[in-house]
Amino acid sequence: MPVPPTSRFVGRRIVMLEPLPHGKCISYADMGRYNSQLAQKQAYCQSFTIHSHADIPVVGVKPGKRKASTEHARPEKRHIMIFDQDNNMDIDGSAVDLGQLKNGDIDEALYSRQLYVLGHEAMKRMGSSHILIAGLRGLGVEIAKNIALAGVKSLTLFDPDPAAISDLSSQFFLHPDDVGKPRANVTAPRVAELNAYTPVSIYPSQSLTESLDDLRQYQVIVLTGASLKDQLTIANFAHANGIYIVIADIFGLFGSIFTDFGKQFAIADPTGENPVSGIVADIDSEGLVSALDETRHGLQDDDYVTFSEVQGMESLNNSEPRKVVVKGPYTFSIGDVSGLGEYKRGGLYTQVKMPKVVDFQPLSEQLKKPEILMSDFAKFDRPQQLHLGFQALHAFKDKHGHLPRPHSDEDAKQILELTQGLAGQGEDKVELDEKLIRELSYQARGDLSPMAAFFGGLAAQEVLKSVSGKFHPIVQWLYFDSLESLPSSVERSEELCKPTGSRYDGQVAVFGAKYQEKLANAKQFLVGAGAIGCEMLKNWALIGLATGPKGKIYVADMDQIEKSNLNRQFLFRPKDVGKLKADCAAEAVQAMNPELKGKIVTFRDRVGPETEHVFTEEFWEGLDGVTNALDNVDARQYVDRRCVFFRKPLVDSGTLGTKGNSQVVLPRLTESYSSSQDPPEQSFPQCTLRSFPNKIEHTIAWAKEKFHQYFVGPPETVNLYISQSNYIEQSLKQAGNEIPTLQSLRDFLVTEKPSTFDDCIIWARNQFEKEYNNAIQQLLYNFPKDSTTASGAPFWSGPKRAPDPLKFDASNPTHFGFVKATANLHAFNYGIKSDKGMPEAHYLEVVDNMVIPEFSPNPTVKIQADDNEPDPNAQNGGSSFDDKDELQNLVSSLPPPDSLAGFKLQPVEFEKDDDSNHHIDFITAASNLRAQNYAIAEADRHKTKFIAGKIIPAIATTTALVTGLVVLELYKIIDGKDDIEQYKNGFVNLALPFFGFSEPIASPKGEYLGTKGKVTIDKLWDRFEVEDVTLREFLDHFKEQGLDIMMLSSGVSLLYASFYPPSKLKDRMGLKLSKLVETISKKAIPEHQQNVIFEMTVEDQTEEDVEVPYVMLKWTRPPQPRLQLLTGLTSPATSIEHPPSSVTQYQKSLVPSFRRKKVDITSMSRTLVHGLYFHLVSFELTADVYVPGWRFATPDEKIAGDNVTPDPIHGCTHLRDIYFKVSPDYEGRFTVPTLYDVKQGKIVSNESSEIIRMFYTEFDDLLPEQYKQIDLFPKHLQQEIEGVNGWTYNDINNGVYKTGFA
């Protein structure tokens, strides 16, 4: 057995931890408890000092291993922790300060996103594992990278072979000057840079098989590029000695993976999904459980559940888990419940993750009778053929000493013969596809970066599964190919695929030299340089993308590097923290492939509407394709819209823990990313959060609201009061909550304004009393624990949990933690410096000296009992002005703003990843205290941070795999394939594992009858493009195509209508389109605008209305930044407040549209706001609606229709007058409907969809009592309503404008 040098251990204290018990598989929870107890019991540790002559085997514990065979009993393994005299832990020679490690030696700042995938227990088990990786070409180094980033006890690399120039096709840690040096020697130091907590060493032998006993020190052995003979030797030894084995190989666009985790391998958590839970509504005598309020239970057959808080069947509570049989989405059976009594009420069910045991067979048996996991069900017949073909490649190499030559028909013939021989040996005869086997031979020497990424991510995840027991492993083979990626636009031959001494030889062997030129001259835009972006750039550098004379890569990312990024964004190092991602990523890949120097342009800008002057039309037009590497849906949709407009192919991808997907968007072929919608984000009813939480997610959401109410909202209000003149008169009185706002100002500026940190401690302690004692006492006063509903049912039942007040206990860590965090954040608001080293005793001294007054419930306080009931505390319109004396007293108590010159509060900006800022500390303590009130299971800081911070879990393995899929699709795009069947959208879940590939969904099509017959159009991608011709020429042009234009518009300007009289059209017909737009709109086309968009309503030869694409006028002015399309007002000088939160709730004037029968918006608005004090004013069109535009009726006019009245506010004659009152310099269009705030004199919104949406909730406080109970946006209908709103807005509302009727 090889022994590490002992010199670095001399004089150091060694702690030997007791080994795990052998002879049984212990559960995941037991493993956690065992590790916890082990860490605490110093009596179980042995301590000694290493002398200079000592030999120390590198060994480590293997948790959860099956019992070793009696023939090959393994020695007991122990953790070894090495300390120097300063108590620093040495991990293979790298000292790490123990004070920086938390939660079982896990650096949460580094591993935060991965922890949300794997959990602490799995990572602790990984952290005690020793891994050996053999073979360090592209696949091996990809596996090593992912394992190093994930974090294991030690990582040993083996590959004594000299590096070749062709290795650079996929081996990203090799440089040209490394050619000829042992791969392991040059690779190991670069892998070690990835993670200081993962020591990396080189296996000291020239062969793994010469001394198999040396392999006993490892928990997992990974083989890549090994001969089949060595695979069998090592795999059989590993199987017999309880060592896990993973074997992976890639040959061009083909790859495979094999796993053997031995007999009785225990999987603690097969899926990785959070256990589901719910509230019980009923359990009948047959054991049928019904979920409350028809809530989907989320369980599956053979799941297990436990129960708690069940009344009537108390024996179910905390009993052994019961197996589930699903009877429906809202019901499930738990079997026999006889003898358990009769169910009365209440109860919670919780899913229990039960360990699963899997038996693996050794490689020698699996070669004969493989158990194969399907990767692509469209290729159902390929895995068995590839299983034999891969063996044929090994046989060929054993015979000739090398793999088949690229595209050699002679060698392919031999491979086919070998495969046919193998096909006839087994019990089940395999029918061979000769073309498939020949292609396998052609590509045998291929070494492709995306295939290495795919299998590298997959193999690394299997390694992590083996040592952690987390997620279900592959059983036992998986084969995958991407033959669709082969180019069809260029020739391939033995001559074109032969090696030339280039770094791309591994890729040329598959695609040929001509295709390499295509890759080199591509122009690609990468949006995002995070985890996926880093992996993407790595792959692009290795495949030689944009390295040619015409090639260019553009990278945009505005973010800076944070420590948590280092766990999966492998291009970055600790020295890069704080730098821009785009710049560092570009620098790293240019070092990886020097041919990219000068070929990468980075942007520090967000890609969005606000940067269209940066990412101009010329920029988009010059691209060959776009790749999204974003984690933001809005940003992805924006890029998608740009790609659709400019008809650029887009590849989008994303990950969520072990789940990932890739999507191809192809001009004129597929739907776009935005064609499908994600489900809406989960939200909770306010009534539930305020008074009736029943799960920890409710208390965390409540705590986050308190964070805003304490440390964000009031400081912002104070700053507005100080900085805005006449704040009280102009702004405050229209908010509908004048008294609470004034009270907050008084508290923060006068009565509770702190001057010392001790004052902040006192304030914090008072908040504890207010929230966790007084508020709960008041709630129980209003609804005593024995109260009942109108139907006689107990009030505190079902989802309502009766709370209990908390009494402050300074010895309780959660109580003290709340006071500490709250005090520090309050001090931050006021710029009061807190002593970070302040002892706990000082906090307690301040608190002990406080006198907390007794609380007496207020009988006048009303509390909303249900979200379906009106809020009894909501104010009616104008009611807040009834008590003018109270308002005046509050205003008088405030110091004049002039006296506060120079004073400013600092609002807290929530930041989840800074562990020293008390943000997550506050939310954790506040949430758990409320959970204590309601007897809800508390959440630790880690889980609270995940929920409150809306963190997206991530792990490097999934990122690498998904990026590999994206680049395989990019190959096809650059080749120019136009057959949609050749493309694949990918869906993976490495936890299950599951792989699904589907043909992209085609874009929607339509048709019309033209002069030459039916014409098919693409509703997403097509458009008509015209030059700047006259209106007459334009009409004639489409007439010739069989389309009669009924109406033509640009923006809100109706340019032509078939019903217009000849006299009106006479002057227009001879105008060019650009001049026509400027004439009718009374506004010049902006200098920077290059295209003008026209919408038209047409009839085809059937004289029926048909839907046709829009028309784009090709503008010929010099290239300028594109004018972004805006809705609503377009003048930056106009004061517009779009967010509904800024809508002042006092008296407003709604100005909707009115034209013939098109009064839908008016009618709907009138219905929705019935009972509100609104002016609903409708209009009549003048002869030319656009000059001077919408006008009000005059007092002497009698016009048919409801609410056609004069302007009741200002006496204006036209709508444009109101726009000019808002902004005298306004130059935009005067659109309707318009929501106008008469108190502030501001236009709140002129977008119908926004205005209608406001009516859902924004004016509830103004409604009379009889209308408050009407819920215009009930939760159970929200998704359906949003769906209807979507097509109504697009097809009806916008349709009205497009047809010229509004």
Side-chain angles (χ1 to χ4, degrees):
M1 174 179 291
V3 177
T6 58
S7 59
R8 64 189 183 87
F9 300 131
V10 173
R12 301 200 178 184
R13 177 168 54 86
I14 307 298
V15 179
M16 302 291 288
L17 301 184
E18 282 295 300
L20 289 172
H22 289 289
K24 66 171 185 175
C25 291
I26 64 175
S27 72
Y28 204 63
D30 289 338
M31 176 60 63
R33 286 193 289 271
Y34 178 83
N35 286 341
S36 178
Q37 294 167 2
L38 195 61
Q40 298 173 13
K41 296 182 179 179
Q42 296 297 324
Y44 289 174
C45 297
Q46 303 173 42
S47 180
F48 57 92
T49 301
I50 299 296
H51 299 287
S52 59
H53 60 276
D55 289 339
I56 306 173
V58 181
V59 295
V61 76
K62 187 169 186 180
K65 279 302 254 186
R66 65 184 184 283
K67 189 176 182 179
S69 68
T70 54
E71 287 187 68
H72 303 279
R74 300 181 66 197
E76 288 187 346
K77 304 283 176 85
R78 301 185 177 188
H79 290 289
I80 297 182
M81 295 188 294
I82 308 163
F83 299 82
D84 60 20
Q85 287 85 347
D86 297 325
N87 208 39
N88 286 333
M89 182 173 66
D90 190 1
I91 304 179
D92 199 31
S94 177
V96 179
D97 184 0
L98 282 177
Q100 296 176 354
L101 304 182
K102 302 176 182 178
N103 294 317
D105 294 347
I106 296 176
D107 186 342
E108 290 195 3
L110 176 66
Y111 293 116
S112 64
R113 303 307 186 264
Q114 180 176 291
L115 276 167
Y116 295 116
V117 182
L118 299 173
H120 283 87
E121 290 303 322
M123 285 202 59
K124 288 175 185 176
R125 298 175 74 176
M126 287 161 45
S128 62
S129 301
H130 302 273
I131 314 297
L132 170 66
I133 298 177
L136 292 174
R137 297 181 72 199
L139 177 56
V141 78
E142 187 74 44
I143 298 170
K145 176 207 70 176
N146 293 328
I147 292 175
L149 291 172
V152 293
K153 181 72 172 178
S154 73
L155 180 61
T156 304
L157 305 181
F158 170 80
D159 193 337
D161 292 341
I165 188 65
S166 60
D167 293 342
L168 275 65
S169 293
S170 61
Q171 223 282 28
F172 45 84
F173 279 148
L174 289 181
H175 302 152
D177 55 2
D178 295 326
V179 173
K181 301 175 184 177
R183 291 194 190 100
N185 290 18
V186 295
T187 301
R190 293 158 191 169
V191 174
E193 293 178 356
L194 296 172
N195 190 346
Y197 298 127
T198 300
V200 179
S201 61
I202 301 170
Y203 193 82
S205 175
Q206 293 296 303
S207 171
L208 292 180
T209 57
E210 68 181 12
S211 178
L212 292 175
D213 283 342
D214 292 349
L215 302 179
R216 294 178 185 273
Q217 60 187 296
Y218 302 106
Q219 277 71 54
V220 190
I221 298 174
V222 183
L223 301 178
T224 70
S227 67
L228 183 57
K229 180 182 177 181
D230 285 353
Q231 289 179 12
L232 283 166
T233 301
I234 296 170
N236 288 338
F237 175 84
H239 187 85
N241 288 273
I243 303 171
Y244 303 143
I245 190 82
V246 176
I247 302 173
D249 281 306
I250 56 172
F251 301 102
L253 290 167
F254 299 90
S256 73
I257 186 171
F258 168 80
T259 64
D260 175 12
F261 299 162
K263 292 184 178 180
Q264 297 292 299
F265 177 76
I267 308 167
D269 182 0
T271 67
E273 299 295 330
N274 292 325
V276 299
S277 61
I279 302 173
V280 176
D282 182 57
I283 306 176
D284 69 12
S285 59
E286 301 297 322
L288 186 69
V289 181
S290 301
L292 183 71
D293 293 338
E294 291 195 342
T295 303
R296 290 180 179 270
H297 51 67
L299 297 167
Q300 298 179 358
D301 285 341
D302 299 327
D303 282 345
Y304 284 79
V305 295
T306 57
F307 293 87
S308 61
E309 302 182 21
V310 175
Q311 298 182 39
M313 289 183 172
E314 283 81 1
S315 298
L316 276 178
N317 295 330
N318 304 314
S319 63
E320 289 297 315
R322 284 186 167 253
K323 194 173 183 178
V324 166
V325 177
V326 173
K327 297 297 184 181
Y330 313 108
T331 58
F332 59 90
S333 173
I334 57 172
D336 184 19
V337 293
S338 60
L340 297 182
E342 184 178 352
Y343 175 81
K344 293 181 180 178
R345 64 175 178 268
L348 305 172
Y349 66 85
T350 304
Q351 181 188 13
V352 177
K353 293 294 185 75
M354 302 296 285
K356 180 179 179 180
V357 177
V358 178
D359 282 333
F360 287 80
Q361 294 180 334
L363 176 63
S364 54
E365 295 181 25
Q366 277 287 303
L367 279 174
K368 301 171 185 175
K369 242 183 149 178
E371 186 173 356
I372 300 176
L373 174 69
M374 288 299 299
S375 63
D376 188 345
F377 288 94
K379 304 174 180 179
F380 195 80
D381 60 334
R382 287 193 186 175
Q384 286 286 355
Q385 297 182 66
L386 294 178
H387 184 70
L388 301 176
F390 276 41
Q391 294 178 59
L393 290 178
H394 285 290
F396 183 96
K397 186 175 182 181
D398 288 343
K399 180 179 179 180
H400 298 283
H402 60 79
L403 288 168
R405 291 164 293 178
H407 223 280
S408 168
D409 290 324
E410 179 184 345
D411 291 351
K413 181 180 178 181
Q414 293 186 50
I415 291 296
L416 179 59
E417 291 172 352
L418 289 168
T419 307
Q420 289 171 337
L422 292 168
Q425 293 178 4
E427 298 177 6
D428 301 324
K429 300 297 184 267
V430 179
E431 186 176 343
L432 296 179
D433 178 350
E434 292 189 10
K435 185 178 179 182
L436 176 70
I437 302 303
R438 287 184 180 276
E439 195 60 60
L440 175 62
S441 176
Y442 291 163
Q443 300 184 29
R445 294 194 190 183
D447 190 10
L448 300 177
S449 173
M451 290 297 291
F454 179 90
F455 278 96
L458 183 57
Q461 190 65 60
E462 294 304 301
V463 171
L464 301 182
K465 291 176 185 179
S466 70
V467 296
S468 68
K470 184 93 170 183
F471 310 138
H472 200 292
I474 291 172
V475 183
Q476 287 189 246
W477 295 90
L478 180 138
Y479 288 90
F480 170 80
D481 74 81
S482 182
L483 289 185
E484 303 85 2
S485 298
L486 285 173
S488 56
S489 63
V490 295
E491 180 187 357
R492 290 192 304 145
S493 66
E494 187 172 0
E495 178 66 23
L496 290 171
C497 295
K498 69 179 182 181
T500 61
S502 162
R503 65 177 294 137
Y504 309 115
D505 278 351
Q507 183 166 258
V508 171
V510 179
F511 296 128
K514 291 184 178 180
Y515 182 74
Q516 189 63 43
E517 293 179 12
K518 274 196 163 188
L519 287 172
N521 289 297
K523 301 181 185 68
Q524 292 289 320
F525 183 24
L526 178 65
V527 189
I532 291 178
C534 284
E535 292 287 338
M536 203 70 66
L537 283 172
K538 172 205 72 180
N539 280 280
W540 288 4
L542 294 172
I543 68 175
L545 186 78
T547 55
K550 299 179 182 178
K552 190 71 77 174
I553 291 174
Y554 303 94
V555 185
D557 196 311
M558 63 179 294
D559 289 341
Q560 294 176 317
I561 299 166
E562 300 174 358
K563 183 178 180 181
S564 64
N565 301 147
L566 303 180
N567 173 239
R568 62 201 183 282
Q569 300 177 17
F570 90 106
L571 293 180
F572 307 140
R573 300 293 181 268
K575 64 181 177 62
D576 298 324
V577 171
K579 298 179 182 178
L580 286 167
K581 289 184 177 181
D583 292 345
C584 288
E587 182 181 349
V589 295
Q590 287 176 91
M592 191 178 292
N593 185 352
E595 293 181 17
L596 277 176
K597 289 183 177 178
K599 297 293 183 179
I600 302 180
V601 178
T602 61
F603 295 91
R604 306 176 182 184
D605 305 275
R606 185 193 307 275
V607 181
E610 68 277 12
T611 56
E612 289 184 0
H613 63 288
V614 177
F615 304 101
T616 62
E617 292 191 7
E618 292 91 344
F619 172 82
W620 288 98
E621 293 286 2
L623 299 174
D624 294 325
V626 181
T627 300
N628 266 349
L630 297 162
D631 60 2
N632 180 296
V633 172
D634 290 339
R636 292 161 82 171
Q637 289 178 336
Y638 173 79
V639 174
D640 176 69
R641 292 194 299 271
R642 294 270 88 186
C643 288
V644 170
F645 183 82
F646 292 102
R647 294 172 176 165
K648 299 298 177 181
L650 167 70
V651 189
D652 189 277
S653 60
T655 67
L656 182 68
T658 59
K659 301 169 187 172
N661 78 286
S662 62
Q663 179 182 356
V664 188
V665 178
L666 303 167
R668 299 185 176 88
L669 288 179
T670 72
E671 68 175 13
S672 72
Y673 173 84
S674 304
S675 297
S676 58
Q677 298 282 335
D678 290 331
E681 187 175 324
Q682 183 185 26
S683 60
F684 303 115
Q686 282 299 311
C687 185
T688 299
L689 297 184
R690 284 196 297 258
S691 304
F692 307 111
N694 57 64
K695 55 184 179 180
I696 196 64
E697 288 81 3
H698 295 158
T699 67
I700 292 173
W702 176 88
K704 196 168 181 184
E705 283 191 1
K706 289 298 172 185
F707 182 93
H708 187 276
Q709 292 173 14
Y710 285 174
F711 314 118
V712 183
E716 288 178 344
T717 302
V718 167
N719 291 341
L720 287 174
Y721 170 73
I722 296 172
S723 61
Q724 289 188 4
S725 60
N726 301 321
Y727 175 78
I728 298 295
E729 294 79 2
Q730 292 189 3
S731 300
L732 181 61
K733 292 182 180 180
Q734 299 179 51
N737 58 348
E738 297 86 343
I739 291 178
T741 303
L742 288 171
Q743 289 172 338
S744 176
L745 284 171
R746 178 201 61 196
D747 294 343
F748 271 70
L749 287 173
V750 183
T751 59
E752 297 178 1
K753 180 182 177 183
S755 56
T756 66
F757 188 73
D758 285 0
D759 293 338
C760 296
I761 298 175
I762 292 171
W763 186 84
R765 173 63 182 88
N766 283 329
Q767 301 314 306
F768 178 99
E769 199 69 17
K770 172 185 174 183
E771 301 294 353
Y772 305 109
N773 181 35
N774 301 355
I776 301 301
Q777 287 193 49
Q778 182 68 57
L779 181 62
L780 291 175
Y781 175 85
N782 286 56
F783 305 108
K785 289 189 176 183
D786 58 356
S787 59
T788 60
T789 65
S791 63
F795 178 84
W796 295 105
S797 62
K800 290 186 170 70
R801 302 174 65 85
D804 291 298
L806 296 183
K807 183 177 180 181
F808 183 78
D809 179 2
S811 64
N812 185 311
T814 308
H815 294 210
F816 176 79
F818 174 85
V819 171
K820 181 178 180 180
T822 306
N824 277 274
L825 290 170
H826 196 54
F828 176 87
N829 285 150
Y830 286 89
I832 297 174
K833 187 176 181 180
S834 61
D835 185 357
K836 292 185 178 180
M838 181 178 292
E840 180 178 330
H842 182 77
Y843 286 89
L844 300 180
E845 180 183 357
V846 174
V847 170
D848 288 343
N849 291 330
M850 292 177 61
V851 176
I852 305 297
E854 289 293 327
F855 176 76
S856 296
N858 185 346
T860 65
V861 170
K862 297 179 180 179
I863 298 176
Q864 186 179 11
D866 191 277
D867 272 293
N868 294 326
E869 298 179 4
D871 186 352
N873 297 306
Q875 295 180 352
N876 293 327
S879 62
S880 59
F881 285 95
D882 293 342
D883 194 342
K884 294 183 179 180
D885 290 340
E886 182 179 0
L887 281 172
Q888 188 56 47
N889 290 336
L890 284 169
V891 172
S892 300
S893 69
L894 299 178
D898 294 345
S899 68
L900 298 171
F903 179 79
K904 183 180 181 181
L905 292 187
Q906 180 64 46
V908 176
E909 185 176 346
F910 178 66
E911 171 51 58
K912 59 184 178 293
D913 287 321
D914 183 354
D915 291 338
S916 66
N917 63 12
H918 302 286
H919 297 187
I920 296 298
D921 295 332
F922 169 83
I923 293 175
T924 303
S927 168
N928 284 338
L929 288 172
R930 191 157 177 85
Q932 291 175 17
N933 280 138
Y934 288 87
I936 297 170
E938 298 176 34
D940 60 15
R941 189 182 191 278
H942 181 69
K943 181 177 180 179
T944 303
K945 176 179 176 179
F946 174 66
I947 297 173
K950 298 181 179 179
I951 290 176
I952 299 174
I955 189 169
T957 52
T958 313
T959 304
L961 185 147
V962 167
T963 308
L965 293 177
V966 169
V967 178
L968 290 174
E969 297 306 306
L970 183 63
Y971 280 144
K972 305 172 188 178
I973 292 172
I974 292 176
D975 183 47
K977 295 183 187 297
D978 56 6
D979 180 2
I980 194 173
E981 295 182 358
Q982 298 297 307
Y983 291 90
K984 298 280 188 180
N985 287 344
F987 311 90
V988 301
N989 187 341
L990 296 183
L992 298 180
F994 168 80
F995 301 86
F997 296 94
S998 67
E999 179 184 306
I1001 298 175
S1003 54
K1005 304 296 190 293
E1007 62 180 27
Y1008 65 86
L1009 184 62
T1011 54
K1012 297 181 181 180
K1014 287 187 177 180
V1015 179
T1016 301
I1017 58 173
D1018 191 307
K1019 294 183 178 180
L1020 178 64
W1021 296 97
D1022 279 347
R1023 64 173 174 246
F1024 298 108
E1025 295 185 0
V1026 299
E1027 301 296 334
D1028 195 12
V1029 296
T1030 65
L1031 176 59
R1032 185 182 302 281
E1033 291 170 331
F1034 182 88
L1035 298 174
D1036 291 343
H1037 171 74
F1038 283 97
K1039 180 75 171 178
E1040 293 171 2
Q1041 299 183 45
L1043 296 175
D1044 290 321
I1045 298 177
M1046 299 293 101
M1047 281 181 288
L1048 177 69
S1049 63
S1050 179
V1052 297
S1053 299
L1054 184 60
L1055 308 177
Y1056 167 83
S1058 60
F1059 53 79
Y1060 277 178
S1063 58
K1064 186 170 184 176
L1065 294 175
K1066 179 181 178 181
D1067 294 334
R1068 300 187 182 191
M1069 298 300 282
L1071 295 178
K1072 286 195 172 184
L1073 294 176
S1074 59
K1075 185 63 176 177
L1076 178 64
V1077 170
E1078 293 179 330
T1079 301
I1080 302 304
S1081 67
K1082 301 297 182 182
K1083 185 178 179 182
I1085 298 174
E1087 287 292 329
H1088 59 266
Q1089 186 173 332
Q1090 298 181 36
N1091 298 312
V1092 181
I1093 303 303
F1094 298 89
E1095 299 279 356
M1096 56 184 184
T1097 303
V1098 302
E1099 292 181 354
D1100 67 358
Q1101 297 297 287
T1102 65
E1103 297 186 354
E1104 295 289 336
D1105 289 346
V1106 291
E1107 183 179 352
V1108 294
Y1110 66 90
V1111 181
M1112 185 179 79
L1113 168 63
K1114 296 179 180 179
W1115 200 234
T1116 56
R1117 285 180 178 172
Q1120 296 290 333
R1122 174 175 170 76
L1123 173 68
Q1124 65 187 58
L1125 181 62
L1126 299 174
T1127 59
L1129 300 178
T1130 58
S1131 170
T1134 304
S1135 176
I1136 302 174
E1137 298 181 14
H1138 275 288
S1141 58
S1142 70
V1143 179
T1144 52
Q1145 302 175 356
Y1146 180 54
Q1147 184 187 32
K1148 304 175 177 69
S1149 177
L1150 179 69
V1151 188
S1153 61
F1154 176 81
R1155 167 73 176 175
R1156 296 182 183 177
K1157 295 182 180 180
K1158 304 294 182 179
V1159 293
D1160 297 353
I1161 296 175
T1162 305
S1163 302
M1164 184 180 296
S1165 302
R1166 188 180 309 115
T1167 303
L1168 289 174
V1169 297
H1170 185 55
L1172 291 181
Y1173 182 58
F1174 269 70
H1175 291 297
L1176 292 169
V1177 184
S1178 297
F1179 294 102
E1180 181 197 38
L1181 290 174
T1182 60
D1184 188 332
V1185 66
Y1186 300 103
V1187 187
W1190 300 98
R1191 74 176 179 88
F1192 293 92
T1194 58
D1196 58 338
E1197 288 182 294
K1198 302 295 182 183
I1199 301 174
D1202 296 337
N1203 296 314
V1204 182
T1205 63
D1207 172 21
I1209 308 299
H1210 301 291
C1212 295
T1213 60
H1214 290 82
L1215 177 62
R1216 61 189 294 135
D1217 299 332
I1218 293 179
Y1219 277 71
F1220 286 130
K1221 280 184 176 293
V1222 174
S1223 174
D1225 298 325
Y1226 179 66
E1227 296 179 353
R1229 297 187 172 96
F1230 314 108
T1231 62
V1232 294
T1234 302
L1235 182 61
Y1236 177 72
D1237 188 319
V1238 300
K1239 287 294 181 179
Q1240 292 194 92
K1242 294 180 179 179
I1243 293 175
V1244 178
S1245 177
N1246 62 354
E1247 179 57 55
S1248 59
S1249 63
E1250 291 182 11
I1251 295 171
I1252 294 173
R1253 186 177 294 275
M1254 292 177 196
F1255 292 155
Y1256 289 154
T1257 57
E1258 289 299 315
F1259 304 99
D1260 287 356
D1261 292 342
L1262 305 178
L1263 287 168
E1265 287 295 329
Q1266 65 265 36
Y1267 298 118
K1268 285 185 178 180
Q1269 60 185 351
I1270 301 174
D1271 186 0
L1272 298 174
F1273 199 46
K1275 184 176 181 181
H1276 68 285
L1277 293 175
Q1278 286 180 6
Q1279 189 169 0
E1280 184 177 349
I1281 292 172
E1282 292 289 10
V1284 172
N1285 283 348
W1287 65 260
T1288 302
Y1289 177 76
N1290 186 62
D1291 297 340
I1292 298 179
N1293 293 14
N1294 279 354
V1296 170
Y1297 284 86
K1298 293 175 183 177
T1299 57
F1301 284 114

